[in-house]
Amino acid sequence: MEPALIGKSKDIERIRELIQHVADTGLNVVISGESGVGKEVVAQKLFRNSRRKDKPFIKINCAALPEGLLESELFGFEQGAFTGAQRKKRGKFELASEGVLFLDEIGDMSLSLQAKLLHVLQSGEFARLGSEKEIKTDAWVIAATNQELEENVKKGLFREDLYYRINIIRIYIPPLYKRPEDIPLLIDYYIERYASEFSYKQLVYPNDDNMERLMSYHWPGNVRELQNVLKRCMVVGSWEEIIDELTVRKSPASDSAKALQAIDGASLIEDLLSGEGENSRDLESFSLKKIKKEALGRIEKEVISYVLGQTGWNRSKATKILKISYKTLLYKISDLNIKPPSKFKPKSS
C-alpha cells in the first residue's frame, strides 16, 4: 500500500515540500521525531518520489539487534566467517545498492559500528565479514531517530563526524499534540482503511464533541496510538467509552477553585514589586499600569496552566472550565508560552 502522509498543518506541508526537493538529490537524510509520528512513512515517501523507486527499499532497525548481529546484517558475511556462518550472506548495504537503506533508530548504534558505517558513507565501499574484498555500494542512506543526536554527540554517545555525514538534510516531524488540525484527516483516513480491512459495511465517525475531545488529547504515542484507539473504537462500537479512558474526569467547579488557590498571592506581589536582575525596580521606575498588566498575565498563565494540568491537557475540557472559546485558549497558550508537563514533551536522551 502506498504510504500516506496525512495532514494539513504547516509542519506537514513543509515536510511534503522537503520530500519533493530532496527526493532526487541522493543526499543523506535524518528523520527525527518521537516514536509513532510516522518517520518510516516519510522515508517511504522520499523513496517513492525518487528515481530509485523501482529499486529495493531495505529497512533495518538498529535498536532491535545486538552489535555483532547488526554488523553482519549490514555488511553480510562469508561462509565460515564465524561460528554458525554455514553459507555466504549478502548484507543490507549490498541488497540496497542503487536503492534505499533505511536505518531506523540509528541513535542506538554502537560507537564501533558507527565508525564502520562512516567508512562506507565516505568511500562507498565495504567488505563482508570474513573477507578482504571491497564491494561497492550506491545505497541512499536515510536514517531515523527519536533521540536528540546533537545531545548524544556532546555526551560522546554518537560520533560527531558521522553526525555531520548523515545529517545533510534533517526532517523533523512534530508530535501529534502540536498539530491537532491533522487529527480529523488522520481519523478519516484510518477509518476508511480499517473499515475495508475489518469488512465493516457502515462507518461510524465521531460526532463533533468526540472529535474535539480527540483533538485536545495529548497523544503520547502519537499517530501509532491514534491508530490503535481507532481500531478499538470500531470494534467496540462506542467512541465515548474509549475516549473516556484517555481523559481525566474532574469537576469543573472544584478545578476552578483549586486553580485560584494554587496561586501564591504574596509571592506574586513580592516578585512584581521587587523584580530580578535587569527587571529590578526602584521607586522611580514604578508604573501601576505596567505592574497591573504583568500581574494579570502571571495570573492568567498560572490558572490556565493549572487547569490544563488537571485535565491532562484536554483543551476542550479546559475551555469549559475557564469559560473561554477554544480559539482563545490556543491563543493564550501560545501568547503566554504555556508548556505541557515533561511527560507530554518530546523525549530527550
Side-chain angles (χ1 to χ4, degrees), residues 61-74:
N61 190 323
C62 301
L65 300 172
E67 180 179 354
L69 185 54
L70 179 58
E71 182 176 5
S72 66
E73 284 292 313
L74 283 173

Side-chain angles (χ1 to χ4, degrees), residues 73-122:
E73 284 292 313
L74 283 173
F75 306 121
F77 53 82
E78 297 290 342
Q79 182 178 359
F82 52 83
T83 302
Q86 298 179 356
R87 57 179 177 81
K88 179 177 71 176
K89 180 179 179 179
R90 299 167 68 196
K92 303 300 186 186
F93 262 110
E94 194 170 350
L95 294 171
S97 192
E98 299 184 356
V100 166
L101 178 60
F102 178 49
L103 300 176
D104 197 12
E105 303 304 346
I106 193 172
D108 288 285
M109 185 179 287
S110 69
L111 287 169
S112 60
L113 202 49
Q114 289 176 32
K116 295 178 181 179
L117 174 60
L118 177 64
H119 170 75
V120 180
L121 296 177
Q122 289 175 332

Side-chain angles (χ1 to χ4, degrees), residues 14 71-72 74-75 84 145 153 222 286 314 322 331:
R14 176 57 179 158
E71 182 176 5
S72 66
L74 283 173
F75 306 121
T145 182
V153 169
N222 294 293
F286 272 83
N314 185 323
L322 296 166
Y331 170 78

Side-chain angles (χ1 to χ4, degrees), residues 138-171:
D138 182 33
W140 179 19
V141 173
I142 300 175
T145 182
N146 61 8
Q147 302 182 25
E148 293 292 342
L149 293 184
E150 298 92 336
E151 291 300 315
N152 285 6
V153 169
K154 293 176 183 177
K155 295 175 182 177
L157 301 175
F158 200 86
R159 291 181 62 104
E160 185 176 22
D161 45 8
L162 177 60
Y163 171 74
Y164 288 116
R165 174 66 64 171
I166 63 172
N167 195 39
I168 299 175
I169 303 294
R170 182 174 182 261
I171 299 178

Side-chain angles (χ1 to χ4, degrees), residues 198-298:
F198 300 151
S199 300
Y200 286 131
K201 295 181 180 179
Q202 185 176 3
L203 303 179
V204 180
Y205 288 85
N207 59 32
D208 291 344
D209 181 62
N210 286 331
M211 181 65 79
E212 192 171 359
R213 293 174 68 191
L214 289 166
M215 289 177 67
S216 64
Y217 178 58
H218 58 275
W219 298 109
N222 294 293
V223 178
R224 188 178 296 125
E225 182 184 5
L226 175 62
Q227 291 174 311
N228 292 333
V229 166
L230 292 178
K231 289 177 183 177
R232 289 166 59 199
C233 287
M234 295 181 76
V235 172
V236 173
S238 170
W239 287 97
E240 285 78 8
E241 181 180 340
I242 304 301
I243 296 174
D244 284 348
E245 295 177 8
L246 301 177
T247 56
V248 179
R249 290 192 175 276
K250 287 184 178 292
S251 164
S254 63
D255 277 344
S256 297
K258 289 178 181 178
L260 293 173
Q261 292 171 6
I263 300 173
D264 185 341
S267 176
L268 173 62
I269 293 171
E270 183 178 353
D271 287 347
L272 288 168
L273 293 179
S274 63
E276 292 182 5
E278 295 180 356
N279 297 319
S280 60
R281 296 187 175 93
D282 52 36
L283 288 175
E284 295 179 357
S285 68
F286 272 83
S287 165
L288 184 60
K289 184 177 181 180
K290 183 178 179 181
I291 293 177
K292 180 181 178 181
K293 182 179 179 181
E294 289 181 25
L296 288 174
R298 289 275 293 277

